[in-house]
Amino acid sequence: MRRHIILFLTIISLLSPLIAQSANLNLISESEKLGASVYWDSLSGSGLLEKNGHQVSFRAGDGFVLQDYKKLAITDAPVVKDGVLYVTKGFLDSANKLFKTETAESNGFKIGAILIDPGHGGKDPVL
């Protein structure tokens, strides 16, 4: 059993550079086509893809993304080459699938205003 785990991890480590090399779509230009917003922090190597009230948080070189701050998903890792962020078609497809789902905000309930009643100072009004 242990030998199978070691073999599996070895295969994954050998294939990961091939997966990273297939990341050939510029995320900025592809997000414009999708109508999504991209927020990228080059210092931390992390970013956020946002559309229709949904968010996909990611890090360059990491195959895990966080969808809507509550669901962890496995996808192709984004890569940075020459200062440009690249992703695979699979990464974009999984993000687009999330973007097409309805948000919790679409249930018809919304807070329009909050009214604060100052009260009457703790004393009952005299009638």
Side-chain angles (χ1 to χ4, degrees), residues 34-125:
L34 289 174
S37 300
V38 176
Y39 304 96
W40 173 246
D41 181 4
S42 58
L43 186 62
S44 67
S46 62
L48 180 77
L49 192 58
E50 185 175 49
K51 182 180 176 182
N52 297 336
H54 292 288
Q55 298 87 23
V56 176
S57 301
F58 60 90
R59 284 184 65 125
D62 193 354
F64 296 101
V65 297
L66 186 61
Q67 299 175 339
D68 289 338
Y69 299 107
K70 55 187 164 189
K71 182 181 175 191
L72 192 62
I74 299 173
T75 187
D76 301 327
V79 294
V80 178
K81 296 178 194 170
D82 300 321
V84 180
L85 185 62
Y86 292 97
V87 295
T88 62
K89 184 170 177 356
F91 180 92
L92 290 174
D93 289 344
S94 67
N96 206 23
K97 183 178 176 184
L98 174 69
F99 296 153
K100 289 181 179 179
T101 61
E102 289 189 28
T103 63
E105 296 173 358
S106 64
N107 64 5
F109 296 105
K110 209 176 204 184
I111 297 176
I114 298 174
L115 178 66
I116 300 174
D117 182 8
H120 46 78
K123 299 178 184 173
D124 291 330

Side-chain angles (χ1 to χ4, degrees), residues 12-32:
I12 294 297
S13 67
L14 291 174
L15 290 178
S16 61
L18 296 175
I19 293 170
Q21 290 176 0
S22 67
N24 56 1
L25 301 173
N26 182 326
L27 182 60
I28 304 299
S29 62
E30 293 297 319
S31 65
E32 289 174 0

